Amino acid sequence: TEETEGAKGEKGGRRNSPALRNVFRSMLSGVHRPEELDFIFDGLTHHLASAASRSRTSSVSEKPDLFCEQLLILTWHLLTLNGHFLRHVCSRRGADALLRPLIALLLDASFFIHRRPTPQTHDARPLAETRDTLSPSTNGGSLLANDGAESPSSSSPAEAATALSRIGLLHMCSFILLVLSSERDFAVRLNEPFLGKAPADIPVFQGSYADLLCLAVHRVVMDATGPRGSSDSLVDMLLTVLCNVSAYVKSFCLESCLRLMAMMERLTRRYWLFSAPQHYHDVFFLLDVFNNLIQYQFE
């Protein structure tokens, strides 16, 4: 009986003990000093920019960049766990330092998954050299003449692992953009003029960071809805990002307007609308974008 009572006491003690918690997550959510937030933000943007430059010069057969994956996961946890960090980034530091590497990684991952040369072409050139020979089309069509579906048997295990890694990068960048777009200050700062060289996958334009975001979303959505498309959830996330920021955008350049109409034309095609029961939601997202651009003129 004593052993039974002792066992019951141990079980009761375990049941009444406080729940285990992740100390690192608790410490991460408690950072609030401006100098500490600046230190973390500067380190994240520096390493993200380095990861984006490495991704542009990497070849198809290279191993996935595990450091870049962990860095994006850390960025997402910081933005979702620490409200002070999210508000500090969106209101005080601006959008350009974090938006540029995120869009670069997003476009690189989309190119690797959807538009990279198939193994039958035996093209061993770096991705940057291959992409420089491609010119984005106005109607959002495929940039490769041979854009057929790649057979799983033709890829090696290393290439399959790299493809899965790039899919993770694609979704993590979309998650981070979705969190940032929910903040009003981030959307307002997108009206700042864009200065510098645009990524290789989007056309040359003169506009704001909102145009950069719109052109990047167009490129990925066109890839995801093409013959080698990856997932419908990716399209939903990126269109939601556009919906969130559209109410605060003052203007779009000509290139962005053409791409918005191209997305509407692609997403309203019969083969896309009837391929899944939830695809009509994508049309609603774009209609909300057009409605916000016309109805709300932010000043």
Side-chain angles (χ1 to χ4, degrees):
T1 57
E2 293 180 358
E3 293 179 357
T4 305
E5 292 178 357
K8 290 182 179 179
E10 290 180 0
K11 292 181 180 179
R14 291 175 184 174
R15 190 180 297 112
N16 297 329
S17 61
L20 296 177
R21 61 190 179 93
N22 192 319
V23 179
F24 295 101
R25 289 171 62 91
S26 301
M27 295 175 62
L28 199 64
S29 61
V31 179
H32 63 280
R33 295 180 180 178
E35 57 272 14
E36 295 176 347
L37 298 177
D38 287 333
F39 178 77
I40 295 174
F41 180 78
D42 292 337
L44 286 176
T45 52
H46 172 73
H47 288 297
L48 283 174
S50 300
S53 62
R54 289 196 305 271
S55 179
R56 284 193 294 268
T57 57
S58 62
S59 62
V60 175
S61 59
E62 285 188 4
K63 295 181 179 180
D65 191 353
L66 298 180
F67 176 74
C68 182
E69 296 178 10
Q70 298 300 324
L71 188 63
L72 288 174
I73 293 174
L74 176 61
T75 304
W76 181 73
H77 279 298
L78 277 169
L79 294 173
T80 54
L81 290 176
N82 195 324
H84 298 286
F85 182 75
L86 178 60
R87 290 188 293 271
H88 183 80
V89 169
C90 296
S91 60
R92 297 186 180 182
R93 297 305 303 265
D96 55 341
L98 190 58
L99 189 63
R100 283 174 181 263
L102 284 177
I103 287 181
L105 291 171
L106 184 76
L107 293 174
D108 288 331
S110 180
F111 174 83
F112 185 91
I113 297 168
H114 303 114
R115 291 179 288 118
R116 69 182 177 93
T118 57
Q120 287 80 4
T121 59
H122 301 288
D123 192 352
R125 292 179 297 168
L127 289 181
E129 296 181 7
T130 307
R131 291 166 56 182
D132 290 341
T133 61
L134 306 176
S135 59
S137 56
T138 303
N139 60 358
S142 175
L143 300 187
L144 294 177
N146 185 13
D147 198 18
E150 181 181 350
S151 60
S153 60
S154 61
S155 60
S156 63
E159 291 178 352
T162 305
L164 289 176
S165 173
R166 295 300 177 95
I167 292 176
L169 288 179
L170 194 64
H171 283 80
M172 281 306 304
C173 292
S174 302
F175 288 149
I176 295 173
L177 289 176
L178 186 62
V179 174
L180 291 174
S181 66
S182 62
E183 289 292 320
R184 175 185 177 276
D185 293 331
F186 173 80
V188 171
R189 283 184 173 269
L190 289 178
N191 294 301
E192 297 176 358
F194 174 75
L195 302 175
K197 184 179 179 180
D201 287 333
I202 61 178
V204 179
F205 69 96
Q206 292 183 354
S208 61
Y209 282 95
D211 294 299
L212 176 66
L213 179 62
C214 178
L215 294 173
V217 169
H218 161 267
R219 181 67 271 167
V220 179
V221 168
M222 288 298 182
D223 292 340
T225 56
R228 295 164 64 178
S230 55
S231 66
D232 297 340
S233 60
L234 181 66
V235 178
D236 294 340
M237 276 192 294
L238 293 177
L239 292 179
T240 304
V241 171
L242 277 184
C243 284
N244 291 341
V245 303
S246 59
Y248 303 97
V249 175
K250 294 181 179 180
S251 62
F252 274 133
C253 65
L254 176 62
E255 291 80 7
S256 299
C257 296
L258 292 175
R259 267 63 181 184
L260 285 174
M261 297 305 299
M263 280 194 291
M264 176 61 76
E265 192 271 337
R266 170 69 68 87
L267 297 177
T268 53
R269 290 180 181 177
R270 297 179 63 182
Y271 85 89
W272 175 256
L273 280 177
F274 298 148
S275 60
Q278 72 277 6
H279 280 175
Y280 71 94
H281 291 291
D282 301 333
V283 182
F284 288 165
F285 284 134
L286 274 180
L287 289 177
D288 287 338
V289 172
F290 291 139
N291 181 60
N292 292 336
L293 291 174
I294 297 172
Q295 182 177 1
Y296 301 103
Q297 298 297 324
F298 177 79
E299 284 294 343

